[in-house]
């Protein structure tokens, strides 16, 4: 079971709710994948008005846990304010903390991330930080009280998969007891399976499903790949070797040369 | 037969037209003082682009949307709101070029065109884009002129307009009434949600466009449509919110930077109007027709007001005249 700040979750796919062709297709994708947690970004365009509640009502009707996020925030102050608004709207102390550092790669500003995480943890939030595979940053976050870390696979929306499998493997080895979720950059189910085979606890993705031609089928494909990857990790895969090794027993066979 | 219609937006006016042409005595009630004053279709793009829309819409939008091309042609020919049948051009910036191939995989009835063909169709875009998708069978109307033209056509044919009249469907006793009020019908149809849209009208003589142009972008489906007297409509945001006012700075930045990316000449344009409204939509973003005793409801045209209202009007008129409550819904059309 996946442990998120003491909450036990069965399904290891976390799904974003943005950019689906329609709320009905989003709902189908959530159902088909069996996901138990969706991330929702608090759209601040409404200027705090309550008129966005139709969409929240649709999300609530999905009957899954909501992990609000601070998507699109560039500063500590913005992220903290958004997190506080999200807590009020969604009635949860979970927050996916995202502080973007640069527009072209949308990579996290890890300095601002650590600063914002400290403020939010002080205020009682359970922070899910979107970070890089940098171990020193991760250590800071864990020190502050983050029980979950969410390193990127590749920049948001690129669908490139795991850019740095070595870095992600090192991170897993370095934090054996922290819940690690690959967040962002996943394009194909095989990317998600690869991360799970490395021992990651879960995968968070959005565009790979919402942007697919048939989101519902892709959501299911991801759920299956994530389960397969996790099962493979638990089954202790064989090591790679250089020389071939026959799978059929050689016993009793004559050595002729 | 007498039919009362509440709402003189694109849903109400197209239905009124269908009914009056079948000999029905039509009364239209509208809370505003004139056509378009409070209708979200006033802020529409007016694109009759079923093939392009299919990229992210259900198959039904393509199936029913094709009717719009002939319906508007038939009703607007000879008015000052004539349909312009010059197709649609779709571009992507070099950094988003994968968006163009994705768009092509999910649509049909287009041609890949190179700079030479782009230069012939849109001379002002010569050299700006290496390739584009051209959808030759699509068309567009000026939605404001089209709504007024329908109003005039209806008046000429004897429809009774009651402006400045805020009425409820329950006020008509046993008479047939069709609720075409969009988001205002929400108390009775709670599944409806609002999807906020922001649009701009700008004016510049520095650039000429012959047809709607779309710029593919991973976040907002941006388009720019030529209108009369060097005006252009720039649209449109899609925000999950029912707010009908408040143009945000972020939206303004996104719309204007998309226009600028399409052609730097748009930077010199004058901003003539900033429009905001919310589109009525159901969870699958497809329109619905509903019957409840003598009250019919047409709603949920979403961002496809001009594209789907003709098919919806035909379906609704058929159903009302046949008193058919098992009418086939658009959301039942799957492929």
């Amino acid at each position: 079971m996946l442990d998120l700040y003491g909450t036990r979750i069965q399904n290891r796919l976390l799904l974003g709710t943005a950019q689906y062709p329609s709320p009905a297709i989003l709902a189908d994708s959530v159902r088909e994948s069996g996901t138990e947690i969706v991330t929702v970004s608090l759209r601040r365009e409404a200027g705090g008005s309550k008129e966005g509640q139709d969409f929240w009502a649709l999300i609530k009707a999905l009957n899954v846990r909501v992990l609000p996020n601070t998507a699109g925030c560039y500063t500590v102050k913005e992220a903290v304010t958004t997190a506080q608004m999200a807590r009020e709207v969604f009635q949860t102390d979970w927050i996916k903390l995202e502080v973007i550092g640069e527009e072209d790669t949308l990579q996290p500003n890890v300095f601002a991330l650590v600063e914002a995480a400290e403020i939010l943890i002080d205020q009682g939030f359970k922070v899910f930080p979107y970070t890089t595979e940098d171990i020193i940053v991760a250590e800071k976050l864990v020190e502050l009280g983050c029980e979950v870390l969410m390193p990127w696979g590749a920049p948001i929306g690129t669908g490139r998969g795991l850019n740095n499998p070595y870095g992600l493997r090192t991170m897993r080895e370095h934090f054996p007891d922290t819940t690690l979720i690959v967040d962002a950059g996943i394009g194909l189910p095989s990317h998600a399976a690869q991360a799970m085979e490395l021992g990651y606890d879960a995968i968070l993705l959005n565009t790979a499903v919402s942007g697919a031609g048939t989101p519902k089928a892709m959501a299911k494909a991801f759920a299956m790949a994530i389960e397969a990857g996790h099962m493979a990790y638990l089954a202790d895969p064989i090591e790679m070797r250089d020389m071939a090794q026959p799978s059929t027993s050689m016993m009793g066979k004559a050595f002729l040369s | 037969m007498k039919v009362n219609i509440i709402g003189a937006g694109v849903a109400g006016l197209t239905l009124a037209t269908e009914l009056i042409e079948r000999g029905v005595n039509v009364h239209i009630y509208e809370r505003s003082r004139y056509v378009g004053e409070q209708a979200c279709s006033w802020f529409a793009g007016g694109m009759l682009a079923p093939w392009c829309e299919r990229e992210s819409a259900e198959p039904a939008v393509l199936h029913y949307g094709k009717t719009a091309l002939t319906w508007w042609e038939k009703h607007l020919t000879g008015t000052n709101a004539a349909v312009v049948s010059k197709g649609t051009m779709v571009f992507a910036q070099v950094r988003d070029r994968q968006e163009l191939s994705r768009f092509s995989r999910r649509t049909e009835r287009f041609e890949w065109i190179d700079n030479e063909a782009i230069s012939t169709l849109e001379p002002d875009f010569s050299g700006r884009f290496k390739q584009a998708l051209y959808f030759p069978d699509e068309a567009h109307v000026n939605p404001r002129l089209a709504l007024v033209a329908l109003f005039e056509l209806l008046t000429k044919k004897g429809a009774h307009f009651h402006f400045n009249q805020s009425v409820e469907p329950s006020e008509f006793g046993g008479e047939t009434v069709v609720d075409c009020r969009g988001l205002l019908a929400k108390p009775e149809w709670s599944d409806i949600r609002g999807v906020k849209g922001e649009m701009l009208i700008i004016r510049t003589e520095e650039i000429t466009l012959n047809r709607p142009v779309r710029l593919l972008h991973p976040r907002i489906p941006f388009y720019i449509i030529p209108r009369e007297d060097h005006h252009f409509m720039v649209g449109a945001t899609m925000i999950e919110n029912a707010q009908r006012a408040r143009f945000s700075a972020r939206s303004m930045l996104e719309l204007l930077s998309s226009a600028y990316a399409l052609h730097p000449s748009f930077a010199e344009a004058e901003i003539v109007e900033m429009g905001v409204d919310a589109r009525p939509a159901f969870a699958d973003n497809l329109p619905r027709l509903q019957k409840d005793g003598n009250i019919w409801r047409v709603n949920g045209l979403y961002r496809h007001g001009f594209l789907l209202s003709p098919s919806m009007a035909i379906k609704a008129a058929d159903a009302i005249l046949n008193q058919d409550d098992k009418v086939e819904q658009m959301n039942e059309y799957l492929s």
Side-chain angles (χ1 to χ4, degrees):
Chain A
M1 291 265 257
L2 178 62
D3 186 345
L4 302 172
Y5 288 98
T7 301
R8 315 276 276 176
I9 301 290
Q10 200 89 38
N11 192 295
R12 291 170 186 270
L13 168 64
L14 286 73
L15 213 47
T17 54
Q19 309 268 355
Y20 287 77
S22 69
I25 290 176
L26 161 64
D28 283 349
S29 305
V30 168
R31 270 192 295 269
E32 199 68 25
S33 64
T35 190
E36 294 167 61
I37 300 171
V38 295
T39 63
V40 179
S41 80
L42 187 73
R43 304 294 296 251
R44 292 168 306 141
E45 286 95 333
S49 96
K50 299 283 180 200
E51 288 162 292
Q53 286 182 344
D54 291 347
F55 189 66
W56 314 147
L58 290 165
I59 299 282
K60 272 184 205 148
L62 298 173
N63 257 323
V64 290
R65 273 170 206 283
V66 171
L67 171 60
N69 67 39
T70 63
C73 289
Y74 279 80
T75 63
V76 173
K77 192 175 168 213
E78 247 186 311
V80 169
T81 310
T82 306
Q84 289 164 341
M85 284 166 67
R87 174 156 68 179
E88 218 173 285
V89 173
F90 299 107
Q91 300 287 307
T92 172
D93 51 9
W94 285 11
I95 188 78
K96 176 189 156 181
L97 181 60
E98 191 177 312
V99 191
I100 300 298
E102 200 268 333
E103 213 167 304
D104 276 326
T105 57
L106 296 177
Q107 72 185 78
N109 175 341
V110 291
F111 304 99
L113 177 71
V114 170
E115 204 183 319
E118 184 164 18
I119 296 171
L120 291 173
I121 288 167
D122 266 357
Q123 297 179 2
F125 281 94
K126 296 183 168 110
V127 175
F128 295 60
Y130 167 59
T131 183
T132 66
E133 65 276 45
D134 188 296
I135 285 177
I136 312 306
V137 172
E139 268 179 354
K140 274 272 176 237
L141 291 166
V142 171
E143 253 173 51
L144 290 173
C146 290
E147 293 177 23
V148 179
L149 296 174
M150 306 212 291
W152 61 352
I156 297 171
T158 58
R160 302 182 68 85
L162 309 186
N163 260 356
N164 182 4
Y166 161 75
L168 289 172
R169 186 192 314 259
T170 311
M171 193 174 192
R172 176 73 283 179
E173 282 164 8
H174 204 85
F175 297 98
D177 303 321
T178 306
T179 299
L180 297 182
I181 300 175
V182 168
D183 176 9
I186 299 292
L188 290 168
S190 55
H191 301 151
Q194 188 193 1
M196 296 306 289
E197 287 160 11
L198 290 177
Y200 275 74
D201 295 290
I203 307 290
L204 196 163
L205 54 87
N206 188 341
T207 316
V209 168
S210 66
T214 314
K216 179 174 140 177
M218 192 59 88
K220 171 100 180 173
F222 269 106
M224 291 166 81
I226 288 165
E227 201 185 334
H230 181 60
M231 210 183 256
Y233 171 71
L234 294 179
D236 189 14
I238 60 162
E239 297 295 327
M240 255 191 249
R241 33 179 297 140
D242 290 332
M243 298 300 160
Q245 180 187 324
S247 50
T248 310
S249 168
M250 302 282 277
M251 288 268 275
K253 191 176 171 196
F255 287 88
L256 299 176
S257 58
Chain B
M1 185 186 185
K2 181 185 174 194
V3 174
N4 304 288
I5 294 174
I6 314 177
V10 73
L13 293 181
T14 50
L15 176 58
T17 307
E18 271 303 311
L19 288 170
I20 210 157
E21 286 174 353
R22 302 181 193 196
V24 174
N25 175 17
V26 180
H27 286 254
I28 300 146
Y29 294 83
E30 167 58 50
R31 67 182 163 137
S32 331
R33 293 165 298 174
Y34 47 85
V35 165
E37 192 189 9
Q38 293 179 77
C40 71
S41 37
W42 193 252
F43 300 102
M47 289 185 291
L48 308 177
W51 291 280
C52 276
E53 286 301 310
R54 176 68 185 97
E55 181 251 339
S56 63
E58 300 285 342
V61 172
L62 172 57
H63 179 80
Y64 290 109
K66 289 179 198 164
T67 306
L69 292 156
T70 46
W71 198 93
W72 288 108
E73 182 85 54
K74 181 180 156 198
H75 291 94
L76 296 179
T77 301
T79 72
N80 66 342
V83 174
V84 182
S85 303
K86 290 186 175 172
T88 307
M89 189 94 85
V90 183
F91 294 117
Q93 284 185 277
V94 175
R95 58 181 289 169
D96 297 327
R97 62 190 178 283
Q98 290 91 342
E99 294 290 318
L100 212 53
S101 71
R102 184 183 55 80
F103 198 90
S104 73
R105 286 201 308 278
R106 296 186 188 166
T107 52
E108 51 187 272
R109 292 267 206 129
F110 58 81
E111 298 158 20
W112 279 100
I113 59 172
D114 60 9
N115 180 47
E116 202 186 323
I118 296 169
S119 307
T120 312
L121 291 162
E122 296 292 352
D124 281 353
F125 283 77
S126 177
R128 285 202 59 74
F129 295 93
K130 276 207 172 77
Q131 52 179 192
L133 295 172
Y134 175 49
F135 291 77
D137 302 326
E138 297 187 336
H140 70 283
V141 293
N142 178 324
R144 297 178 177 185
L145 298 179
L147 291 176
V148 172
L150 280 191
F151 164 68
E152 284 168 357
L153 180 84
L154 281 160
T155 309
K156 205 158 55 179
K157 293 195 172 189
H160 308 275
F161 278 90
H162 307 270
F163 287 104
N164 250 326
Q165 299 266 333
S166 203
V167 293
E168 290 293 324
S170 54
E171 290 172 31
F172 289 86
E175 283 184 24
T176 301
V177 54
V178 192
D179 184 350
C180 298
R181 291 179 300 169
L183 281 176
L184 248 69
K186 190 167 168 67
E188 284 111 53
W189 209 344
S190 61
D191 297 351
I192 301 173
R193 75 186 201 284
V195 182
K196 181 176 171 178
E198 293 141 297
M199 58 79 89
L200 292 168
I201 293 183
I202 58 176
R203 185 181 188 280
T204 174
E205 293 187 20
E206 289 195 17
I207 184 167
T208 304
L209 261 184
N210 296 311
R211 55 185 58 71
V213 165
R214 294 177 182 229
L215 182 69
L216 299 183
H217 183 279
R219 271 199 324 282
I220 56 168
F222 164 83
Y223 55 82
I224 189 155
I225 303 169
R227 296 235 173 122
E228 293 68 17
D229 186 30
H230 308 286
H231 286 75
F232 298 88
M233 186 269 193
V234 183
T237 54
M238 306 234 277
I239 298 166
E240 285 291 345
N241 192 292
Q243 210 176 28
R244 302 189 65 181
R246 192 180 179 276
F247 202 125
S248 80
R250 184 190 301 265
S251 298
M252 182 64 108
L253 277 167
E254 289 195 339
L255 290 176
L256 289 180
S257 56
S258 298
Y260 182 69
L262 202 55
H263 203 295
S265 291
F266 285 120
E268 306 304 323
E270 174 194 353
I271 296 175
V272 177
E273 184 188 325
M274 294 160 61
V276 186
D277 211 327
R279 317 160 177 96
F282 293 103
D284 55 7
N285 293 340
L286 290 174
R288 294 204 184 151
L289 171 63
Q290 197 188 60
K291 183 178 188 293
D292 180 7
N294 63 313
I295 301 171
W296 295 76
R297 298 191 176 93
V298 171
N299 217 321
L301 286 163
Y302 181 51
R303 59 177 263 155
H304 299 128
F306 281 80
L307 186 61
L308 294 183
S309 59
S311 276
M312 201 39 155
I314 293 166
K315 268 182 183 298
D318 287 348
I320 292 165
L321 293 177
N322 300 329
Q323 283 300 307
D324 180 4
D325 47 9
K326 284 220 158 55
V327 60
E328 181 206 356
Q329 299 268 342
M330 283 198 185
N331 56 335
E332 286 162 7
Y333 178 86
L334 292 175
S335 59

